[in-house]
Amino acid sequence: MNEQPDIQLPESSNSLKSKITKRLRIDRLHISSRAKAVVAVVLFAVVGSVLLFITNALPTNVINSANFSAEGELKRYIIEDFEKIKGGKEGFHREEFFLKTNTGDQVKLNLPEEAQQKLKGGSRVRISGNKTGDTVTVEQNYAASIQVLAEPPAGTDLTTTDPSTTTASTNRKVAVILINFTDDTSQPVTVDAARREVFTDPNYSANAFYKRSSYNLLGLTGHTNVDGDIFGYYTIGATKSGNCDYTLWGRLADQAAQSAGADLSVYNHIIYAFPSANCGFGGIADLPGSHVWLNGSISGTPLSHELGHNLGLYHANGFACKDTYGFTVSISDRCSSLEYYDMFDTMGSGFNLDDFNGYYKRRLNWLVPSNTQTVTTSGDYTINSLESTGSGVNEIRIPRYVTAAGITQYLHLEYRQRNGEGVLVRQVDETFGRSYLFDTTDETAFFWQFKDAPLAIGRTLTDATYNITITPISSTPSSVKIRITITGTTITKGKPSKRTTTTPAPPENAQYVSTTAPLAVKPGGQVFSASITMKNTGTTTWTAADYQLGAIVIPSNKWGQTRLSLSRDVAPGATATFTGTFTSPEAMEFDRAQSFSWRMLKNSTNTWFGGALTKAITVSNDLTAPAQPMDLKTTAVTSSSVSLSWTASSTPGVAGYRVYRVNSGGALYLAGYTTYTTVFTDAIGLSPSTPYTYYIVAINYNGLESLQSTSVNVTTLK
């Protein structure tokens, strides 16, 4: 609904006000400087000498479309690069928000971070803000600028149904639209290949994944063809070398398919696939929603991830936890989220593990309430493998603490036959639908070491902050028995919250102080020296006969040493330095860093204690930084984006390029993430009429950076 600006007239002109407003329908959203001139001419004809006063009385923010207010549906899009996720590189992920207005227009939104976390896609909202170009910016104090008129209605996605109802078998109707561009009419994916990846491959299609993960409760099918409906190729009226307007590409693809006779209204999901475009993403999905964009190829496993977003699932992340000294630990109340780091979930980086976690399955109604057991008292409990369902328990949840807002945060435990080496432990925020995997082997706390995140049989995870211990004590291929100890019964509101009892400080404790070890070594036997200094922060003297520094990686002799001995007793408060000679292991996948990990060990009880040293040492033949990229220049500038290009590094086989931005305030900021091409568009939080400086570095697969390129200075448009 268009609103009229309140035009203030002088007292002597009040009689003209109603006549003027009847003649002029001034749209607050669209009036421009040119429109202002037209208004002036009309006003002159109506009120003669009052013209100048009225035109000057029009508020400047209305003339420049600064005051935007409209109602519609909030659209939330997840934009990601699968290759970086699967390769263990910096996971490319961002979100974009749009308002689909009542008139059918789609306006991009620049929202504060807090609003992004709280707003649900599919909600009916009214948004107010400052509109510049195609983007509406909502101020940080957004309470009065965003009105949620209605949450997503039941049935918008599977997560909005009543979880207490019995789940019936449901097939989701899917259409695949193959498109290309006026500047690239290639057809990289055949119709048959698209059908196999989405529908018919019995092992690797998205359809096969959903049938397995849902216990055959959900599958993907076509409308006219049970083996899947594929439309196209259609050449749409857009170029792939433009601004990567994926929403426009989707609208043009819909128009082409409908012109060819397709009825798209019958589908739950529409997948757009197109030739590889230099857009910095591999896939996009609306959350929740019905649309998926796949850049360059169709693959069943990434598609399963994107369809999970359509169904209302967020990413499955990891938790990086620190103790009070800042050292890595498995669990604490000082944890930060690591995007995609759950390697045991298709919504994380576990694309080939073919499952969602138990909590996500419950959200999708694939697990019924009887499959989840809430544990509040100590005891031994049994979890059936997540692959099997029935009357048994597939998921245990333990209340961990209650936030100041009264929201309970839970620990979730599950066991999988395919990953039978241990129990997966996550913290789940059931209000906002987020899950975070704990790495129970904190001594190997690097990206790829989240592969060993499960809690192994016989190993104990101690949540000292909230007095919970978890120990898997035995397992079969189909179940695991877990001993859970919960000390105290009351959880105090507010974070960090603690149970009523406290745990005394351990008599044996250690704090890591320092280490000297190389950053990188050649693989397969390079000899090097290293030293580690530890401080006795407990109340017990470390005797040379009973205490050692032990290697805690698996295998324990990875670096050619398993134990380093004390040369003397170490009293409480004193430090000890351990020095040894080590040999490098073979290179890992992707030539990535490996963990050089040590912790204090009491020999007589075979117990580890204290803070661990976990140092990354790159093991690779490629230990030389690449040559710097050259000829950095700007190729396009708008009020909210800057496009760059450069000449590639002369070093062959670089892993990619990092784009650095220096804000006007002088703060260094990594604009986006690593790109594998020699072009990049920065559209992340730029302000109009603002100066920025950019430079580029090349990186190799060990993360070694080249020298900086020459820098460029640019000012965004008004």
Side-chain angles (χ1 to χ4, degrees), residues 443-444 446 515-518 528-532 549 551-553 558-561 564 580-583 585 593-598 612-617:
E443 62 268 21
T444 57
F446 301 106
T515 185
T516 58
F528 64 94
S529 295
S531 64
I532 303 103
L549 188 68
I552 49 179
V553 296
K558 175 183 284 189
W559 300 97
Q561 291 270 19
L564 296 174
T581 301
F582 306 89
T583 57
Q594 299 191 49
S595 55
F596 185 69
S597 304
W598 301 82
L613 156 70
T614 304
K615 179 179 176 60
I617 299 180

Side-chain angles (χ1 to χ4, degrees), residues 39-49 51:
V39 171
V41 173
V42 177
L43 287 175
F44 183 78
V46 177
V47 298
S49 61
L51 165 66

Side-chain angles (χ1 to χ4, degrees), residues 433-484:
R434 309 297 177 94
S435 75
Y436 308 91
L437 177 68
F438 289 103
D439 180 8
T440 69
T441 56
D442 59 273
E443 62 268 21
T444 57
F446 301 106
F447 182 91
W448 283 105
Q449 276 66 39
F450 267 72
K451 287 180 177 178
D452 62 8
L455 184 62
I457 305 301
R459 180 163 177 153
T460 297
L461 178 68
T462 300
D463 185 359
T465 306
Y466 304 106
N467 297 314
I468 302 170
T469 63
I470 302 164
T471 306
I473 55 179
S474 64
S475 67
T476 70
S478 60
S479 66
V480 64
K481 180 178 286 187
I482 305 173
R483 181 159 296 158
I484 298 173

Side-chain angles (χ1 to χ4, degrees), residues 589-608:
E589 189 177 14
F590 299 108
D591 284 355
R592 291 205 158 267
Q594 299 191 49
S595 55
F596 185 69
S597 304
W598 301 82
R599 176 175 280 173
M600 290 303 299
L601 174 67
K602 184 176 183 179
N603 296 324
S604 58
T605 58
N606 195 32
T607 55
W608 304 94

Side-chain angles (χ1 to χ4, degrees), residues 322-330 442-443 506 508-514 532-538 542 548-550 552 578 597-601 608-614:
K322 304 290 185 181
D323 63 12
T324 55
Y325 301 107
F327 302 117
T328 298
V329 293
S330 291
D442 59 273
E443 62 268 21
E508 293 161 329
N509 202 14
Q511 178 183 345
Y512 161 68
V513 177
S514 64
I532 303 103
T533 299
M534 306 293 290
K535 181 178 182 179
N536 185 343
T537 55
W542 300 345
Q548 288 182 308
L549 188 68
I552 49 179
F578 302 83
S597 304
W598 301 82
R599 176 175 280 173
M600 290 303 299
L601 174 67
W608 304 94
F609 62 91
L613 156 70
T614 304

Side-chain angles (χ1 to χ4, degrees), residues 488-522:
T489 57
T490 303
I491 305 175
T492 306
K493 287 188 176 183
K495 187 175 185 297
S497 309
K498 295 188 177 181
R499 297 177 186 270
T500 52
T501 59
T502 60
T503 302
E508 293 161 329
N509 202 14
Q511 178 183 345
Y512 161 68
V513 177
S514 64
T515 185
T516 58
L519 296 175
V521 294
K522 296 281 188 179

